[in-house]
Amino acid sequence: MDRIIQQLPRFFSPGNISLLLDAAGTTLALTVIGCVSGFLLAFLIVFLRQTPGIWALPLRLLGIAYVEVFRRIPFLVVTYLVLFFIQTFQSDASLFTIAVVAICIYATAYTAEIIRGGFESVARQQIEAATAMNFTRWQTLRGVIIPQSWPVILPPAVAFAVGFIKDTALVSQVGVFELTFRGKELNNGGFSGILVFGTIALIYFGISYPLSRFGRWLESRLASSRSEKPRKRLRTS
């Protein structure tokens, strides 16, 4: 404890604080860019999986295989696979880019299941009605399925992204300068492990807790809006 107290002024120097804030920004950027990109690609995966017709069977199988494979591989293994694959073709590739690609691959597989569950929550009769009205598949998706499935999709998707903030610590294994990597540097520089990683833990909490509260607020907000729609229909009828 005496050692920690002695190190406090030197540890919380302007240089170290700037270093940790920059690492926190990298952690947040990895999560946002990777998960948002993965979320958008997941829509494409689900679209392929639900494409009707014999001609689309290879696309459906490809989408199913992608989701099933990458949901069962640890994220650290995915990161190493992406690292070695990209460096085979481009040895000077940015480690940040490699980490973003790995996160995107992983997030796509997980959020694809969230989106698929949201799409399947829409009543089949409404989709059949849109088909009877000669809606194209894209018109049905944009005008019928997405507006009604959005309240089901968004809360767990936000929860996944918030939870994944902690998993970005694994990209420190390939040398990305995020929070955990900087924590290792400071610890190797002679600072107490309790002081260093206690501070890192508080920063992770400071990032993830407000976002998790936002996710809960969003979930309750969307749930209340869904419950109000049937009431409006009853009043109009």
Side-chain angles (χ1 to χ4, degrees), residues 7-227:
Q7 290 181 349
L8 279 174
R10 193 161 55 94
F11 179 75
F12 289 107
S13 64
N16 286 344
I17 292 174
S18 175
L19 191 74
L20 291 174
L21 290 177
D22 183 66
T26 301
T27 295
L28 192 57
L30 285 169
T31 304
V32 172
I33 297 173
C35 288
V36 169
S37 301
F39 185 76
L40 296 175
L41 287 174
F43 269 101
L44 177 61
I45 295 292
V46 176
F47 186 82
L48 294 178
R49 289 184 64 173
Q50 296 185 348
T51 301
I54 298 297
W55 67 271
L57 180 60
L59 297 178
R60 293 197 296 270
L61 293 177
L62 182 64
I64 293 170
Y66 179 92
V67 172
E68 294 301 321
V69 168
F70 284 104
R71 287 182 74 237
R72 284 158 180 80
I73 299 177
F75 172 64
L76 185 57
V77 176
V78 174
T79 304
Y80 278 120
L81 286 173
V82 172
L83 172 68
F84 295 133
F85 181 82
I86 291 180
Q87 287 189 341
T88 300
F89 299 97
Q90 189 174 354
S91 59
D92 59 345
S94 165
L95 292 175
F96 182 87
T97 302
I98 290 170
V100 167
V101 172
I103 294 171
C104 180
I105 291 172
Y106 199 72
T108 299
Y110 273 85
T111 53
E113 284 297 283
I114 295 173
I115 294 170
R116 185 176 66 88
F119 283 6
E120 292 179 354
S121 68
V122 179
R124 189 69 191 170
Q125 295 86 342
Q126 298 195 34
I127 300 174
E128 292 172 354
T131 304
M133 296 172 66
N134 293 324
F135 278 27
T136 64
R137 187 158 178 249
W138 170 245
Q139 288 174 327
T140 303
L141 183 67
R142 186 182 61 182
V144 178
I145 297 176
I146 291 180
Q148 295 186 68
S149 62
W150 197 245
V152 178
I153 293 171
L154 203 54
V158 172
F160 170 80
V162 171
F164 200 80
I165 290 174
K166 303 185 292 294
D167 293 334
T168 57
L170 295 173
V171 301
S172 66
Q173 299 296 318
V174 297
V176 180
F177 297 152
E178 48 74 65
L179 273 173
T180 302
F181 187 90
R182 292 302 190 188
K184 292 177 183 178
E185 282 188 332
L186 292 170
N187 185 225
N188 293 335
F191 288 105
S192 165
I194 295 176
L195 177 61
V196 171
F197 288 103
T199 304
I200 296 296
L202 289 175
I203 295 174
Y204 273 117
F205 177 81
I207 295 173
S208 60
Y209 183 73
L211 293 176
S212 64
R213 295 295 299 177
F214 170 73
R216 290 177 188 172
W217 173 84
L218 188 64
E219 184 174 5
S220 61
R221 178 89 177 189
L222 292 174
S224 62
S225 65
R226 290 184 72 195
S227 62

